[in-house]
Amino acid sequence: MNEDLKEMLESNKESLKLEAMKRIVGLIAKGKNASELFPAVVKNVASKNIELKKLVYVYLVRYAEEQQDLALLSISTFQRALKDPNQFIRASALRVLSSIRVPIIVPIMMLAIKEAAADLSPYVRKTAAHAIQKLFSLDPDQKEQLIEVIEKLLKDKSTLVAGSVVMAFEEVCPDRIDLIHKNYRKLCNLLVDVEEWGQVVIISMLTRYARTQFISPWQEDAMFDENNEKAFYDSDSEEKQGHMESKPYIMDPDHRLLLRNTKPLLQSRNTAVVMSVAQLYWHLAPKHEVSIVTKSLVRLLRSHREVQYVVLQNIATMSIQRKGMFEPFMKSFYVRSTDATHIKTLKLEILTNLANEANISTILREFQTYVKSQDKAFAAATIQAIGRCATNISEVTDTCLNGLVLLLSNRDETVVAESVVVIKKLLQTQPSEHSEIIKHMAKIFDNITVAMARASILWLMGEYCERVPKIAPDVLRKMAKTFTAEEDIVKLQIVNLAAKLYLTNSKQTKLLTQYILNLGKYDQNYDIRDRTRFIRQLIVPSEKSGSLNKYARRILLASKPAPVLESAFKDRDRYQLGTLSHSLNTKVGGYQELSDWPVVAPDPCVRNVEVVEPVRTLSSSHTFKSGSESEEESSEESEKTSSDSGKSSSESEESSSESESEQKKKKKTKKAPQKKNKPTVADRYSEIPPVCQTLKASFFFSEYLLSRCHLFLSFSGCPLFFVCLLHHMTGKGLSAKYHFPRQPCLYQPSMVAVQVTLTNSSDHSLEEIHIGGRNPASLNIHCFNTIELLEPEASVTVSMGIDFSDSTQAANFQLCTKEDQFNVSIQPAVGELLMPSTMTEPDFCKEQSKLLGMNETSATITMATANTSSQTIRKQVLSVANVGVVSSSQNDFHRFAGRTVSSGALVLVSLELKDSTALLTINTEKSVVASMLLRDLKQALTQA
């Protein structure tokens, strides 16, 4: 099946091997089994070609555990690769080594992890943290040595490492809280810069940590005296002496630090991060601050139904205890016709929880619509919700009952059956006032076919038979005729009805009761036979029954407590919000319970360490460097960061235009980091997130490096054109301009990177600059983090990502400050929707032959005299489109290749010179892109 790939891997040409590995990794990404190629792939593990070696390691990570014997043969190669100058090779070698799950190499793995933990590259240290978890699962006896490595990595200043080492901590030694003490404040300060999944892990861990180290902020008489300042006249006031005995609650500064540093993450694009912050506030914040998370949770309801399901479950739990949080957003929980049944049911649950005297009329009108739904399960759940509202709010009990009685005439059996069951429960609360309803239910009894509904009516007849003395015996007479054909649950209630009528109206029902008891005595179901014999001994006096029949009335006709209609989410708050245990309502393996708040807070001095600014890793303003160059750069940045007066390299590059007053302010802030509330620079916005370790991400990263190198080679010398986004007159002092840096977007591969320069031209500071609403609402934008403060005359450059979906349609959104909102739009030229693609001339011709006919657009143009040289042609084409230059063996042919950013469709541009004219051809599946690109290129090449 894969013979051609084996031949390519065994050839002497590096290009064929590289192409084979790309195809193999592509097969793995699609879920295909490529394990049979392991022997052929592992032979290339010692290749000197960096790109080939990376792809081989990607393959080995996937199959090393399955093919352990063959992988062990190459273990010496992996050990040598751990010393490779290239950080990505070192990390990949460690990843493969930790994937070979053979106990005999545990010492080798341990040594490799310890060396990697001290590596100069943060990427290698991050990989070491991941390897810790694998080694621990392979050999738990290594726990103590691994804890030493974890302790060392927890002190790491890099944001790239933080999330991974905390994950290792949670897996290996979650009970070693003492390891967190010295790193608590550092983790809180690094949190906003850590990659998203690392943020989720750290927030979860810090939630558990805070519950063991701080006292509860939920005390009834809590006074939030955070400054601990004594009132001026306290010493002279005798009235306040009683209050002084119970000291006011003072929130620990470290407790407040955690809440303050997680609050900005509520704006995260990652739903898991938002959910993590929400659960942290729910479990740790003072009650009056929890409502901060409400808007963010409601925002998540616009996401996919899987996300909606989890978020709605958590909101359902929250809404039971604190209705006021979500009541202003009640309309967000109205059911839509497109919602799935499980989503509808959860929204119904939340609306029922939010119901009170003020809004019940609105909610009941909404429920009336839901009852008519074609979704029978949802209609039945709505009727149950109406019953809960009637129970909880006494003012509407009669209204709800009357509405349910009207539903008894509904054509749908499911609706009628559920109405009967709910009415039965409601009547138990006040039966004396509703004998007419019981009579009405007896009249429609013959038309009801659902067993549970028939059984409910019979139970009501028996329980309140004295209130309907004429109707109950007649119902029993009808039941005696159909007894043998009824469901078992109905037969049991017929026997109960007969027994109760025998005790209260024996003259009319004695013979009927004996007949029914005889039928039940020989029924096929043993439960009914046993019940019949018991009832006979209980109600009919005989020598065998003794004195048991004296207690028949007290047993059968005893008053029964009314059922309590409660929410299914009432007791779910015993589990931590956002966990699998909370979602399933049962404790699952690996769940760690939140501890109760300590009565007396432990000594806060254990957390007293110097706070150091985070190391900025891999800034977007740097070109990628491999091997020792990137390590030296990383170590230099670490040294700069740890010095008292130094600034991180990304900060110095991005904030070069800031005023001296701003820089003084930052230095002042660094001297007192515990009082730092609002960061004044956006130096973190251009960071590159860590390379994911999935197969697809690894393959993408290889292509990403390749395209990035080509970008700097092909586009150098082309000017950057800034476009005005917001004029300072329109923006009330805030001006913005943007350009397309033509770099791969670091947030999503399908997004186009955009750099926006924001300038404060006013005489006052601007606060909370952020992206607001967008049009259309489905527009996919990666927003820059909120800029808390921008001083007068200061500028800051931030990065955005926009998914234009291969269209030049403008992206409309709002640029907001704390006080104002400004409508702005970014419209790309068609050439900015492309990314360069590296390709040889034969590959170009091969791909072009596949894109003929309707996929080819061409035009003959008259070249301007100044545009006939090769260098000028390349410059003009690259100024229009972000494509890569394909080397050509013919002087009169010029070829360029690229792909659309959003869909990855290939775009091939060729220019064949013929004297003063030229044939311009574009081959691509995207006809709209082709026609617009042809227009722009014609204009650039024909004008001098």
Side-chain angles (χ1 to χ4, degrees), residues 59-97:
Y59 177 90
L60 292 176
V61 168
R62 171 65 181 81
Y63 289 110
E65 189 171 349
E66 296 178 16
Q67 305 276 351
Q68 294 177 353
D69 294 338
L70 286 172
L72 283 173
L73 295 176
S74 304
I75 199 164
S76 59
T77 308
F78 302 143
Q79 288 179 285
R80 285 197 302 272
L82 291 171
K83 306 292 184 182
D84 195 278
N86 189 307
Q87 58 178 337
F88 297 109
I89 297 300
R90 294 199 303 277
S92 298
L94 179 58
R95 196 177 298 124
V96 174
L97 198 62

Side-chain angles (χ1 to χ4, degrees), residues 463-480:
E463 190 67 16
Y464 306 114
C465 57
E466 294 176 338
R467 303 186 190 280
V468 283
K470 295 181 180 179
I471 295 175
D474 193 50
V475 171
L476 184 63
R477 177 183 61 80
K478 292 180 179 180
M479 288 294 94

Side-chain angles (χ1 to χ4, degrees), residues 381-532:
T382 303
I383 294 170
Q384 293 178 13
I386 293 172
R388 274 181 58 198
C389 291
T391 305
N392 298 335
I393 305 170
S394 56
E395 288 83 353
V396 295
T397 302
D398 292 341
T399 305
C400 292
L401 259 176
N402 294 334
L404 291 172
V405 170
L406 291 175
L407 290 177
L408 295 176
S409 57
N410 196 291
R411 295 179 181 178
D412 191 336
E413 290 182 1
T414 308
V415 172
V416 174
E418 200 63 44
S419 300
V420 169
V421 174
V422 174
I423 288 171
K424 170 210 161 189
K425 293 177 180 178
L426 291 178
L427 288 182
Q428 286 181 259
T429 60
Q430 39 190 350
S432 58
E433 302 174 17
H434 301 291
S435 57
E436 291 300 319
I437 294 177
I438 298 174
K439 292 177 182 177
H440 180 71
M441 293 172 74
K443 291 178 182 177
I444 65 169
F445 183 80
D446 293 339
N447 298 326
I448 295 176
T449 57
V450 179
M452 179 57 75
R454 290 173 70 84
S456 296
I457 294 177
L458 291 173
W459 185 91
L460 280 172
M461 292 293 167
E463 190 67 16
Y464 306 114
C465 57
E466 294 176 338
R467 303 186 190 280
V468 283
K470 295 181 180 179
I471 295 175
D474 193 50
V475 171
L476 184 63
R477 177 183 61 80
K478 292 180 179 180
M479 288 294 94
K481 291 180 180 180
T482 61
F483 182 88
T484 54
E486 296 290 349
E487 296 283 343
D488 291 342
I489 190 173
V490 180
K491 289 179 181 178
L492 289 173
Q493 291 305 325
I494 294 172
V495 172
N496 283 349
L497 175 60
K500 291 175 182 178
L501 286 174
Y502 183 87
L503 294 175
T504 58
N505 190 1
S506 59
K507 289 182 180 180
Q508 284 185 286
T509 60
K510 184 176 181 180
L511 293 175
L512 271 175
T513 300
Q514 290 178 353
Y515 175 71
I516 289 170
L517 292 177
N518 287 333
L519 289 174
K521 183 178 179 180
Y522 300 105
D523 195 87
Q524 293 181 346
N525 187 291
Y526 60 84
D527 281 339
I528 296 169
R529 294 198 300 270
D530 289 349
R531 176 71 65 86
T532 302

Side-chain angles (χ1 to χ4, degrees), residues 670-687:
K670 285 187 178 181
K671 291 178 182 177
Q674 68 274 15
K675 294 183 180 179
K676 182 177 178 181
N677 293 327
K678 298 181 179 180
T680 56
V681 280
D683 55 343
R684 62 176 175 270
Y685 297 115
S686 60
E687 287 184 16

Side-chain angles (χ1 to χ4, degrees), residues 199-224:
Q199 289 173 343
V200 173
V201 174
I202 294 174
I203 291 171
S204 177
M205 184 274 292
L206 291 179
T207 303
R208 289 193 304 105
Y209 177 86
R211 286 292 286 257
T212 64
Q213 300 299 310
F214 309 126
I215 59 175
S216 172
W218 304 337
Q219 301 168 15
E220 293 183 4
D221 57 344
M223 296 170 58
F224 290 86

Side-chain angles (χ1 to χ4, degrees), residues 167 200 242 264 283 376 448 469 557 564 636 738 790 876 878 906:
M167 188 70 231
V200 173
H283 293 297
K376 304 308 176 190
I448 295 176
L557 300 177
V564 179
E636 286 174 9
Y738 71 89
L790 190 62
Q876 292 290 358
L878 294 177
L906 195 61

Side-chain angles (χ1 to χ4, degrees), residues 360-380:
I360 186 62
S361 58
T362 305
I363 290 177
L364 286 179
R365 279 199 302 272
E366 192 72 13
F367 285 178
Q368 283 178 349
T369 308
Y370 300 164
V371 169
K372 301 172 186 176
S373 172
Q374 296 299 314
D375 187 338
K376 304 308 176 190
F378 174 57

Side-chain angles (χ1 to χ4, degrees), residues 337-351:
S337 58
T338 55
D339 287 337
T341 302
H342 60 281
I343 301 295
K344 292 178 181 177
T345 308
L346 283 171
K347 287 186 174 181
L348 193 65
E349 178 74 30
I350 294 167
L351 286 174

